[in-house]
Amino acid sequence: MSNDKVTITDHRTGKSIDCPILGGTHGPAVVDIGNLQKKLNLFTHDPGFVNTSSCASNITFIDGDEGILLYRGYPIAQLAEHSNFIEVSYLLMYGELPTSAQLEAFRHSICHHTLLHEELLRFYRGYRYDAHPMAILVGIVGALSGYYHDDLNIDDPAHREMAAHRLIAKMPTIAANALKYGQGHPFNYPDNTLDYVENFLMMMFAVPTETCSVNPISARAMELMLILHADHEQNASTSTVRLAGSSGANPFACVAGGIATLWGPAHGGANEAVIRMLHDIRNPGDIPKYIERAKDKNDPVRLMGFGHRVYKNYDPRATIIRQACHDLLDELSAHNQPLFEVALKLEEIALKDDYFIERKLYPNVDFYSGIILTALGIPLNMFTVIFAVARSVGWISHWMEMMGSEDQRIGRPRQLYLGAEKRDYVPIDIRS
Ligand code: SDX
């Protein structure tokens, strides 16, 4: 008789059930409560699902206490040092590091799907000149479902793979066009002689009046940003894509939902919010006052870029990005960047403050990413767009994993109802 179980007893009725414990490769085991409602007529209650495993996945693993992040078993620090975004994309999608031939075939496929339909370019014109680029990204990616739907059979693995390649290939083009639209500049077409990241930077920064050469230092920094932001288990935006995809919806429409979720300042919008916060603080002397506001429950101010739902230790991505910040600012001779000085001082003061120590609030990936993007000349309102370009690989990898699983079914959380008792309709002429 296996002890791998939890026994739940409802003492109101004396009824009990044994729930199997399922162990994984790393991390806490989970309790399968699939019979709870049938046997005890009970639901579990876990607002925000912070204690709930929503699925089994082979893609990414986080240990929040140890500050560990693995993509298909490979530590993020090793991938950041040795790999590149196209190779990491292959790894997240297919589960293994590619051979040279596999990588070349993948790169060729991505490279030859970077163009957008010419009619899709007209969609940008529907936006106000000052529309937030994330609003544009949600719309244009959602609109891809209008171009790839009727002949898309999501039950066919080859069709799912092509949808994934198309998304990964087109995200930089869509994102760069969003920047250009806001600037009133002409869009740049992708250049197949450039690699993925150089192409992205060229499409964002090239203008017809100048020759454009991509700074290799900037390309390496952007490569690192995309690798570090590519996936992160069942975060809010990835969970949105999975839930939308579980209904059989078009994958591009599902990813548009993920983009919308990522936009929030509590999630991917934090990198933009961090820079706004650093500008608000202005100089190191204002830091203690700002930290007091962040600790005050009656003040909505939070220390943006600090804290995490899962990491109760240092976010390993923040460690890597912090060093990359130093290196990039030195290489670009921008080390006196005032925002970086304020960020370093803010981190130093906060990490000595009992409020943050007791609550294990450390800098997360967003704390430094905005400084790198600022140093690369990326406008503030494009920060979360860059995050979305990276995370689109994680989103589509999770969509493929879910759609390819044997027990794929529509997601349907339940609730604790606290509303009115059952009551009869009251005609309006006798209502008080
Ligand atoms: C991302 O899920 C992912 O993996 C996300 C992400 C990814 O790659 O997909 O990692 C990307 O979204 C990173 C997080 C970016 N967001 C921010 O930097 C925004 C600022 N941080 C927060 O708003 C907050 O920390 C959250 C939203 C990230 C987490 O919120 P929680 O789960 O409510 O935090 P918690 O439960 O750990 O809070 C414990 C305490 C609370 O106070 P008490 O009730 O104990 O008194 O810490 C406080 C919180 O109020 N707190 C903060 C704080 N974060 C938590 N207080 C001040 N400033 C903060 N930043």
Side-chain angles (χ1 to χ4, degrees):
M1 181 70 172
S2 162
N3 280 331
D4 288 344
K5 63 183 178 186
V6 163
T7 302
I8 297 176
T9 301
D10 181 347
H11 290 283
R12 299 173 303 172
T13 62
K15 284 185 181 175
S16 294
I17 66 165
D18 287 340
C19 298
I21 292 175
L22 309 176
T25 314
H26 295 304
V30 298
V31 178
D32 179 348
I33 52 148
N35 279 328
L36 192 61
Q37 190 209 355
K38 195 163 40 176
K39 298 285 179 68
L40 297 185
N41 194 31
L42 289 172
F43 295 144
T44 56
H45 187 58
D46 183 22
F49 314 114
V50 288
N51 303 294
T52 296
S53 156
S54 62
C55 62
S57 178
N58 300 332
I59 298 174
T60 294
F61 172 71
I62 299 169
D63 182 323
D65 294 326
E66 298 302 317
I68 291 171
L69 170 56
L70 307 177
Y71 287 170
R72 298 286 190 173
Y74 295 98
I76 190 65
Q78 292 183 26
L79 294 170
E81 184 179 352
H82 302 298
S83 189
N84 59 64
F85 185 62
I86 282 293
E87 183 177 74
V88 165
S89 300
Y90 184 98
L91 173 66
L92 288 170
M93 272 183 62
Y94 296 105
E96 297 297 335
L97 288 172
T99 63
S100 301
Q102 288 168 330
L103 182 59
E104 195 38 48
F106 182 66
R107 192 197 307 277
H108 184 274
S109 174
I110 298 299
C111 192
H112 288 80
H113 286 93
T114 50
L115 275 175
L116 301 182
H117 192 292
E118 282 294 307
E119 286 306 294
L120 188 58
L121 299 181
R122 291 154 49 103
F123 276 57
Y124 287 84
R125 305 278 174 256
Y127 283 94
R128 257 175 62 118
Y129 66 92
D130 59 352
H132 195 289
M134 283 298 281
I136 298 176
L137 202 67
V138 169
I140 301 294
V141 172
L144 286 176
S145 56
Y147 288 79
Y148 307 108
H149 185 72
D150 295 340
D151 58 355
L152 171 61
N153 172 10
I154 58 175
D155 296 323
D156 181 336
H159 282 219
R160 294 200 295 267
E161 185 179 30
M162 177 44 67
H165 286 206
R166 279 182 166 137
L167 180 80
I168 294 170
K170 296 178 191 311
M171 281 301 283
T173 312
I174 294 169
N177 288 353
L179 170 59
K180 287 302 194 184
Y181 182 68
Q183 293 171 331
H185 289 181
F187 296 168
N188 290 303
Y189 284 95
D191 174 351
N192 287 354
T193 64
L194 301 174
D195 77 17
Y196 190 88
V197 169
E198 289 169 339
N199 211 1
F200 185 24
L201 290 169
M202 179 281 292
M203 289 189 284
M204 282 195 284
F205 293 114
V207 286
T209 49
E210 310 277 342
T211 53
C212 175
S213 63
V214 175
N215 178 334
I217 295 168
S218 302
R220 183 59 199 148
M222 179 58 81
E223 191 97 59
L224 179 65
M225 290 294 295
L226 296 181
I227 290 171
L228 294 179
H229 287 79
D231 194 49
H232 214 237
E233 282 191 7
Q234 307 309 319
N235 57 86
S237 53
T238 299
S239 298
T240 299
V241 173
R242 277 183 172 262
L243 193 55
S246 73
S247 73
N250 179 288
F252 299 104
C254 297
V255 168
I259 294 169
T261 305
L262 187 75
W263 194 0
H267 188 12
N271 55 14
E272 178 177 344
V274 165
I275 297 299
R276 293 189 191 284
M277 172 186 74
L278 295 176
H279 279 304
D280 286 349
I281 293 174
R282 274 193 298 280
N283 61 63
D286 293 341
I287 291 174
K289 187 171 45 181
Y290 201 91
I291 285 186
E292 287 314 306
R293 287 191 61 193
K295 291 154 60 174
D296 178 357
K297 291 297 171 222
N298 300 317
D299 191 323
V301 159
R302 305 275 294 256
L303 216 44
M304 302 313 280
F306 269 72
H308 197 277
R309 265 278 195 254
V310 176
Y311 288 124
K312 297 309 170 190
N313 197 322
Y314 222 70
D315 180 338
R317 302 168 298 178
T319 309
I320 297 166
I321 274 194
R322 188 176 191 273
Q323 185 54 51
C325 252
H326 275 291
D327 301 344
L328 179 67
L329 295 177
D330 284 346
E331 286 162 341
L332 297 179
S333 303
H335 43 266
N336 60 348
Q337 237 243 35
L339 287 183
F340 188 52
E341 298 308 318
V342 173
L344 284 173
K345 193 68 183 164
L346 176 59
E347 180 190 32
E348 179 194 327
I349 296 173
L351 293 183
K352 288 177 185 159
D353 186 296
D354 288 344
Y355 175 95
F356 295 93
I357 295 167
E358 285 157 15
R359 292 167 177 80
K360 299 185 176 181
L361 300 177
Y362 295 90
N364 57 47
V365 67
D366 294 295
F367 187 64
Y368 285 103
S369 60
I371 295 163
I372 287 189
L373 295 174
T374 303
L376 294 180
I378 307 276
L380 184 56
N381 65 6
M382 281 288 290
F383 285 10
T384 311
V385 171
I386 304 296
F387 195 153
V389 170
R391 189 53 57 88
S392 57
V393 173
W395 291 329
I396 205 68
S397 298
H398 280 274
W399 176 78
M400 286 178 75
E401 179 177 69
M402 176 187 69
M403 295 305 290
S405 67
E406 298 280 307
D407 56 356
Q408 193 274 321
R409 57 200 297 209
I410 189 167
R412 179 47 171 98
R414 305 303 296 267
Q415 64 170 19
L416 173 66
Y417 176 66
L418 299 176
E421 297 271 347
K422 184 172 175 291
R423 52 186 170 168
D424 295 327
Y425 183 79
V426 179
I428 193 163
D429 54 0
I430 59 170
R431 285 176 210 158
S432 52

PDB file of all heavy atoms in Angstrom, residues 308-333:
ATOM      1  N   HIS A 308       8.619  39.030  -5.728  1.00  0.00           N
ATOM      2  CA  HIS A 308       8.226  38.061  -6.759  1.00  0.00           C
ATOM      3  C   HIS A 308       7.304  37.038  -6.125  1.00  0.00           C
ATOM      4  O   HIS A 308       7.436  36.694  -4.957  1.00  0.00           O
ATOM      5  CB  HIS A 308       9.468  37.352  -7.325  1.00  0.00           C
ATOM      6  CG  HIS A 308       9.214  36.680  -8.623  1.00  0.00           C
ATOM      7  ND1 HIS A 308       8.659  35.432  -8.704  1.00  0.00           N
ATOM      8  CD2 HIS A 308       9.396  37.102  -9.897  1.00  0.00           C
ATOM      9  CE1 HIS A 308       8.537  35.087  -9.978  1.00  0.00           C
ATOM     10  NE2 HIS A 308       8.969  36.087 -10.725  1.00  0.00           N
ATOM     11  N   ARG A 309       6.327  36.577  -6.934  1.00  0.00           N
ATOM     12  CA  ARG A 309       5.399  35.564  -6.461  1.00  0.00           C
ATOM     13  C   ARG A 309       6.137  34.287  -6.051  1.00  0.00           C
ATOM     14  O   ARG A 309       5.724  33.579  -5.143  1.00  0.00           O
ATOM     15  CB  ARG A 309       4.426  35.197  -7.595  1.00  0.00           C
ATOM     16  CG  ARG A 309       3.118  35.970  -7.553  1.00  0.00           C
ATOM     17  CD  ARG A 309       2.163  35.347  -6.591  1.00  0.00           C
ATOM     18  NE  ARG A 309       0.818  35.836  -6.773  1.00  0.00           N
ATOM     19  CZ  ARG A 309       0.244  36.680  -5.953  1.00  0.00           C
ATOM     20  NH1 ARG A 309       0.901  37.149  -4.911  1.00  0.00           N
ATOM     21  NH2 ARG A 309      -0.998  37.069  -6.135  1.00  0.00           N
ATOM     22  N   VAL A 310       7.226  33.985  -6.747  1.00  0.00           N
ATOM     23  CA  VAL A 310       7.889  32.692  -6.508  1.00  0.00           C
ATOM     24  C   VAL A 310       9.263  32.870  -5.865  1.00  0.00           C
ATOM     25  O   VAL A 310       9.606  32.231  -4.884  1.00  0.00           O
ATOM     26  CB  VAL A 310       8.038  31.905  -7.834  1.00  0.00           C
ATOM     27  CG1 VAL A 310       8.813  30.602  -7.631  1.00  0.00           C
ATOM     28  CG2 VAL A 310       6.672  31.628  -8.441  1.00  0.00           C
ATOM     29  N   TYR A 311      10.072  33.773  -6.408  1.00  0.00           N
ATOM     30  CA  TYR A 311      11.425  33.940  -5.859  1.00  0.00           C
ATOM     31  C   TYR A 311      11.359  34.584  -4.483  1.00  0.00           C
ATOM     32  O   TYR A 311      10.926  35.724  -4.351  1.00  0.00           O
ATOM     33  CB  TYR A 311      12.291  34.816  -6.774  1.00  0.00           C
ATOM     34  CG  TYR A 311      12.699  34.156  -8.057  1.00  0.00           C
ATOM     35  CD1 TYR A 311      12.409  34.747  -9.286  1.00  0.00           C
ATOM     36  CD2 TYR A 311      13.350  32.933  -8.060  1.00  0.00           C
ATOM     37  CE1 TYR A 311      12.773  34.134 -10.476  1.00  0.00           C
ATOM     38  CE2 TYR A 311      13.715  32.311  -9.246  1.00  0.00           C
ATOM     39  CZ  TYR A 311      13.415  32.913 -10.451  1.00  0.00           C
ATOM     40  OH  TYR A 311      13.760  32.317 -11.628  1.00  0.00           O
ATOM     41  N   LYS A 312      11.708  33.822  -3.472  1.00  0.00           N
ATOM     42  CA  LYS A 312      11.815  34.413  -2.132  1.00  0.00           C
ATOM     43  C   LYS A 312      13.298  34.479  -1.783  1.00  0.00           C
ATOM     44  O   LYS A 312      13.697  34.402  -0.646  1.00  0.00           O
ATOM     45  CB  LYS A 312      11.022  33.580  -1.128  1.00  0.00           C
ATOM     46  CG  LYS A 312       9.518  33.558  -1.450  1.00  0.00           C
ATOM     47  CD  LYS A 312       8.939  34.959  -1.655  1.00  0.00           C
ATOM     48  CE  LYS A 312       7.522  34.959  -2.200  1.00  0.00           C
ATOM     49  NZ  LYS A 312       7.076  36.305  -2.618  1.00  0.00           N
ATOM     50  N   ASN A 313      14.086  34.541  -2.851  1.00  0.00           N
ATOM     51  CA  ASN A 313      15.518  34.730  -2.752  1.00  0.00           C
ATOM     52  C   ASN A 313      15.839  35.551  -3.983  1.00  0.00           C
ATOM     53  O   ASN A 313      14.970  35.970  -4.708  1.00  0.00           O
ATOM     54  CB  ASN A 313      16.210  33.350  -2.823  1.00  0.00           C
ATOM     55  CG  ASN A 313      17.647  33.453  -2.312  1.00  0.00           C
ATOM     56  OD1 ASN A 313      18.320  34.450  -2.578  1.00  0.00           O
ATOM     57  ND2 ASN A 313      18.089  32.449  -1.586  1.00  0.00           N
ATOM     58  N   TYR A 314      17.094  35.750  -4.303  1.00  0.00           N
ATOM     59  CA  TYR A 314      17.430  36.580  -5.460  1.00  0.00           C
ATOM     60  C   TYR A 314      16.943  35.932  -6.755  1.00  0.00           C
ATOM     61  O   TYR A 314      17.121  34.729  -6.940  1.00  0.00           O
ATOM     62  CB  TYR A 314      18.962  36.735  -5.514  1.00  0.00           C
ATOM     63  CG  TYR A 314      19.386  38.150  -5.854  1.00  0.00           C
ATOM     64  CD1 TYR A 314      19.203  39.185  -4.938  1.00  0.00           C
ATOM     65  CD2 TYR A 314      19.906  38.454  -7.095  1.00  0.00           C
ATOM     66  CE1 TYR A 314      19.566  40.487  -5.261  1.00  0.00           C
ATOM     67  CE2 TYR A 314      20.283  39.749  -7.417  1.00  0.00           C
ATOM     68  CZ  TYR A 314      20.106  40.767  -6.495  1.00  0.00           C
ATOM     69  OH  TYR A 314      20.459  42.043  -6.828  1.00  0.00           O
ATOM     70  N   ASP A 315      16.345  36.713  -7.629  1.00  0.00           N
ATOM     71  CA  ASP A 315      15.950  36.249  -8.965  1.00  0.00           C
ATOM     72  C   ASP A 315      17.255  36.027  -9.747  1.00  0.00           C
ATOM     73  O   ASP A 315      18.001  36.982  -9.973  1.00  0.00           O
ATOM     74  CB  ASP A 315      15.098  37.341  -9.621  1.00  0.00           C
ATOM     75  CG  ASP A 315      14.624  36.981 -11.023  1.00  0.00           C
ATOM     76  OD1 ASP A 315      15.245  36.111 -11.666  1.00  0.00           O
ATOM     77  OD2 ASP A 315      13.650  37.606 -11.478  1.00  0.00           O
ATOM     78  N   PRO A 316      17.559  34.788 -10.152  1.00  0.00           N
ATOM     79  CA  PRO A 316      18.847  34.533 -10.827  1.00  0.00           C
ATOM     80  C   PRO A 316      19.040  35.399 -12.068  1.00  0.00           C
ATOM     81  O   PRO A 316      20.150  35.741 -12.452  1.00  0.00           O
ATOM     82  CB  PRO A 316      18.802  33.045 -11.176  1.00  0.00           C
ATOM     83  CG  PRO A 316      17.363  32.674 -11.136  1.00  0.00           C
ATOM     84  CD  PRO A 316      16.723  33.571 -10.139  1.00  0.00           C
ATOM     85  N   ARG A 317      17.934  35.766 -12.683  1.00  0.00           N
ATOM     86  CA  ARG A 317      18.016  36.619 -13.882  1.00  0.00           C
ATOM     87  C   ARG A 317      18.493  38.016 -13.498  1.00  0.00           C
ATOM     88  O   ARG A 317      19.218  38.675 -14.240  1.00  0.00           O
ATOM     89  CB  ARG A 317      16.650  36.684 -14.560  1.00  0.00           C
ATOM     90  CG  ARG A 317      16.093  35.325 -14.963  1.00  0.00           C
ATOM     91  CD  ARG A 317      14.634  35.416 -15.355  1.00  0.00           C
ATOM     92  NE  ARG A 317      13.820  35.868 -14.212  1.00  0.00           N
ATOM     93  CZ  ARG A 317      12.509  36.075 -14.308  1.00  0.00           C
ATOM     94  NH1 ARG A 317      11.870  35.890 -15.463  1.00  0.00           N
ATOM     95  NH2 ARG A 317      11.823  36.484 -13.247  1.00  0.00           N
ATOM     96  N   ALA A 318      18.084  38.464 -12.296  1.00  0.00           N
ATOM     97  CA  ALA A 318      18.495  39.806 -11.847  1.00  0.00           C
ATOM     98  C   ALA A 318      20.008  39.832 -11.626  1.00  0.00           C
ATOM     99  O   ALA A 318      20.679  40.808 -11.960  1.00  0.00           O
ATOM    100  CB  ALA A 318      17.758  40.181 -10.565  1.00  0.00           C
ATOM    101  N   THR A 319      20.527  38.722 -11.092  1.00  0.00           N
ATOM    102  CA  THR A 319      21.986  38.642 -10.863  1.00  0.00           C
ATOM    103  C   THR A 319      22.739  38.793 -12.181  1.00  0.00           C
ATOM    104  O   THR A 319      23.702  39.551 -12.296  1.00  0.00           O
ATOM    105  CB  THR A 319      22.327  37.265 -10.244  1.00  0.00           C
ATOM    106  OG1 THR A 319      21.472  37.036  -9.120  1.00  0.00           O
ATOM    107  CG2 THR A 319      23.771  37.202  -9.797  1.00  0.00           C
ATOM    108  N   ILE A 320      22.252  38.084 -13.200  1.00  0.00           N
ATOM    109  CA  ILE A 320      22.917  38.124 -14.512  1.00  0.00           C
ATOM    110  C   ILE A 320      22.774  39.505 -15.146  1.00  0.00           C
ATOM    111  O   ILE A 320      23.727  40.088 -15.648  1.00  0.00           O
ATOM    112  CB  ILE A 320      22.312  37.046 -15.434  1.00  0.00           C
ATOM    113  CG1 ILE A 320      22.550  35.652 -14.869  1.00  0.00           C
ATOM    114  CG2 ILE A 320      22.902  37.147 -16.849  1.00  0.00           C
ATOM    115  CD1 ILE A 320      21.709  34.561 -15.523  1.00  0.00           C
ATOM    116  N   ILE A 321      21.554  40.037 -15.047  1.00  0.00           N
ATOM    117  CA  ILE A 321      21.298  41.342 -15.685  1.00  0.00           C
ATOM    118  C   ILE A 321      22.062  42.455 -14.992  1.00  0.00           C
ATOM    119  O   ILE A 321      22.553  43.390 -15.636  1.00  0.00           O
ATOM    120  CB  ILE A 321      19.775  41.633 -15.664  1.00  0.00           C
ATOM    121  CG1 ILE A 321      19.113  40.994 -16.885  1.00  0.00           C
ATOM    122  CG2 ILE A 321      19.466  43.091 -15.598  1.00  0.00           C
ATOM    123  CD1 ILE A 321      17.727  41.451 -17.165  1.00  0.00           C
ATOM    124  N   ARG A 322      22.217  42.338 -13.658  1.00  0.00           N
ATOM    125  CA  ARG A 322      22.935  43.385 -12.896  1.00  0.00           C
ATOM    126  C   ARG A 322      24.365  43.485 -13.420  1.00  0.00           C
ATOM    127  O   ARG A 322      24.860  44.576 -13.682  1.00  0.00           O
ATOM    128  CB  ARG A 322      22.925  43.012 -11.420  1.00  0.00           C
ATOM    129  CG  ARG A 322      23.443  44.058 -10.464  1.00  0.00           C
ATOM    130  CD  ARG A 322      23.264  43.539  -9.037  1.00  0.00           C
ATOM    131  NE  ARG A 322      23.490  44.539  -8.014  1.00  0.00           N
ATOM    132  CZ  ARG A 322      24.681  44.822  -7.489  1.00  0.00           C
ATOM    133  NH1 ARG A 322      25.742  44.180  -7.934  1.00  0.00           N
ATOM    134  NH2 ARG A 322      24.809  45.737  -6.554  1.00  0.00           N
ATOM    135  N   GLN A 323      25.007  42.344 -13.617  1.00  0.00           N
ATOM    136  CA  GLN A 323      26.390  42.347 -14.111  1.00  0.00           C
ATOM    137  C   GLN A 323      26.423  42.870 -15.551  1.00  0.00           C
ATOM    138  O   GLN A 323      27.257  43.675 -15.939  1.00  0.00           O
ATOM    139  CB  GLN A 323      26.989  40.943 -14.053  1.00  0.00           C
ATOM    140  CG  GLN A 323      28.465  40.900 -14.442  1.00  0.00           C
ATOM    141  CD  GLN A 323      29.313  41.866 -13.625  1.00  0.00           C
ATOM    142  OE1 GLN A 323      29.244  41.880 -12.393  1.00  0.00           O
ATOM    143  NE2 GLN A 323      30.097  42.712 -14.298  1.00  0.00           N
ATOM    144  N   ALA A 324      25.433  42.441 -16.342  1.00  0.00           N
ATOM    145  CA  ALA A 324      25.387  42.880 -17.750  1.00  0.00           C
ATOM    146  C   ALA A 324      25.207  44.393 -17.833  1.00  0.00           C
ATOM    147  O   ALA A 324      25.734  45.060 -18.731  1.00  0.00           O
ATOM    148  CB  ALA A 324      24.249  42.180 -18.472  1.00  0.00           C
ATOM    149  N   CYS A 325      24.461  44.940 -16.848  1.00  0.00           N
ATOM    150  CA  CYS A 325      24.287  46.393 -16.784  1.00  0.00           C
ATOM    151  C   CYS A 325      25.636  47.077 -16.623  1.00  0.00           C
ATOM    152  O   CYS A 325      25.995  47.977 -17.382  1.00  0.00           O
ATOM    153  CB  CYS A 325      23.444  46.733 -15.553  1.00  0.00           C
ATOM    154  SG  CYS A 325      21.809  47.272 -15.937  1.00  0.00           S
ATOM    155  N   HIS A 326      26.382  46.605 -15.618  1.00  0.00           N
ATOM    156  CA  HIS A 326      27.718  47.168 -15.370  1.00  0.00           C
ATOM    157  C   HIS A 326      28.530  47.115 -16.650  1.00  0.00           C
ATOM    158  O   HIS A 326      29.075  48.114 -17.095  1.00  0.00           O
ATOM    159  CB  HIS A 326      28.444  46.328 -14.298  1.00  0.00           C
ATOM    160  CG  HIS A 326      28.141  46.700 -12.898  1.00  0.00           C
ATOM    161  ND1 HIS A 326      28.555  47.890 -12.343  1.00  0.00           N
ATOM    162  CD2 HIS A 326      27.453  46.059 -11.929  1.00  0.00           C
ATOM    163  CE1 HIS A 326      28.140  47.947 -11.074  1.00  0.00           C
ATOM    164  NE2 HIS A 326      27.472  46.847 -10.810  1.00  0.00           N
ATOM    165  N   ASP A 327      28.599  45.907 -17.266  1.00  0.00           N
ATOM    166  CA  ASP A 327      29.458  45.720 -18.444  1.00  0.00           C
ATOM    167  C   ASP A 327      29.024  46.625 -19.595  1.00  0.00           C
ATOM    168  O   ASP A 327      29.830  47.282 -20.224  1.00  0.00           O
ATOM    169  CB  ASP A 327      29.408  44.241 -18.905  1.00  0.00           C
ATOM    170  CG  ASP A 327      29.877  43.289 -17.806  1.00  0.00           C
ATOM    171  OD1 ASP A 327      30.509  43.788 -16.840  1.00  0.00           O
ATOM    172  OD2 ASP A 327      29.589  42.081 -17.872  1.00  0.00           O
ATOM    173  N   LEU A 328      27.710  46.642 -19.834  1.00  0.00           N
ATOM    174  CA  LEU A 328      27.215  47.419 -20.983  1.00  0.00           C
ATOM    175  C   LEU A 328      27.464  48.911 -20.784  1.00  0.00           C
ATOM    176  O   LEU A 328      27.954  49.597 -21.691  1.00  0.00           O
ATOM    177  CB  LEU A 328      25.709  47.171 -21.170  1.00  0.00           C
ATOM    178  CG  LEU A 328      25.055  47.938 -22.327  1.00  0.00           C
ATOM    179  CD1 LEU A 328      25.590  47.445 -23.665  1.00  0.00           C
ATOM    180  CD2 LEU A 328      23.544  47.812 -22.273  1.00  0.00           C
ATOM    181  N   LEU A 329      27.180  49.414 -19.581  1.00  0.00           N
ATOM    182  CA  LEU A 329      27.364  50.858 -19.332  1.00  0.00           C
ATOM    183  C   LEU A 329      28.836  51.224 -19.442  1.00  0.00           C
ATOM    184  O   LEU A 329      29.202  52.259 -19.989  1.00  0.00           O
ATOM    185  CB  LEU A 329      26.797  51.235 -17.959  1.00  0.00           C
ATOM    186  CG  LEU A 329      25.276  51.067 -17.820  1.00  0.00           C
ATOM    187  CD1 LEU A 329      24.813  51.391 -16.421  1.00  0.00           C
ATOM    188  CD2 LEU A 329      24.525  51.909 -18.836  1.00  0.00           C
ATOM    189  N   ASP A 330      29.719  50.298 -18.988  1.00  0.00           N
ATOM    190  CA  ASP A 330      31.165  50.555 -19.151  1.00  0.00           C
ATOM    191  C   ASP A 330      31.533  50.548 -20.635  1.00  0.00           C
ATOM    192  O   ASP A 330      32.181  51.460 -21.135  1.00  0.00           O
ATOM    193  CB  ASP A 330      31.981  49.479 -18.410  1.00  0.00           C
ATOM    194  CG  ASP A 330      31.966  49.728 -16.897  1.00  0.00           C
ATOM    195  OD1 ASP A 330      31.562  50.844 -16.496  1.00  0.00           O
ATOM    196  OD2 ASP A 330      32.331  48.820 -16.138  1.00  0.00           O
ATOM    197  N   GLU A 331      31.034  49.501 -21.347  1.00  0.00           N
ATOM    198  CA  GLU A 331      31.398  49.378 -22.774  1.00  0.00           C
ATOM    199  C   GLU A 331      30.871  50.549 -23.602  1.00  0.00           C
ATOM    200  O   GLU A 331      31.474  50.983 -24.569  1.00  0.00           O
ATOM    201  CB  GLU A 331      30.858  48.045 -23.331  1.00  0.00           C
ATOM    202  CG  GLU A 331      31.645  46.829 -22.845  1.00  0.00           C
ATOM    203  CD  GLU A 331      30.875  45.514 -23.023  1.00  0.00           C
ATOM    204  OE1 GLU A 331      29.637  45.573 -23.178  1.00  0.00           O
ATOM    205  OE2 GLU A 331      31.521  44.470 -23.002  1.00  0.00           O
ATOM    206  N   LEU A 332      29.705  51.059 -23.171  1.00  0.00           N
ATOM    207  CA  LEU A 332      29.114  52.191 -23.912  1.00  0.00           C
ATOM    208  C   LEU A 332      29.530  53.521 -23.296  1.00  0.00           C
ATOM    209  O   LEU A 332      29.011  54.567 -23.637  1.00  0.00           O
ATOM    210  CB  LEU A 332      27.583  52.072 -23.931  1.00  0.00           C
ATOM    211  CG  LEU A 332      26.986  50.848 -24.644  1.00  0.00           C
ATOM    212  CD1 LEU A 332      25.466  50.869 -24.560  1.00  0.00           C
ATOM    213  CD2 LEU A 332      27.424  50.800 -26.109  1.00  0.00           C
ATOM    214  N   SER A 333      30.466  53.426 -22.303  1.00  0.00           N
ATOM    215  CA  SER A 333      30.911  54.641 -21.577  1.00  0.00           C
ATOM    216  C   SER A 333      29.726  55.436 -21.073  1.00  0.00           C
ATOM    217  O   SER A 333      29.669  56.661 -21.209  1.00  0.00           O
ATOM    218  CB  SER A 333      31.760  55.519 -22.517  1.00  0.00           C
ATOM    219  OG  SER A 333      32.826  54.776 -23.001  1.00  0.00           O
TER     220      SER A 333
END
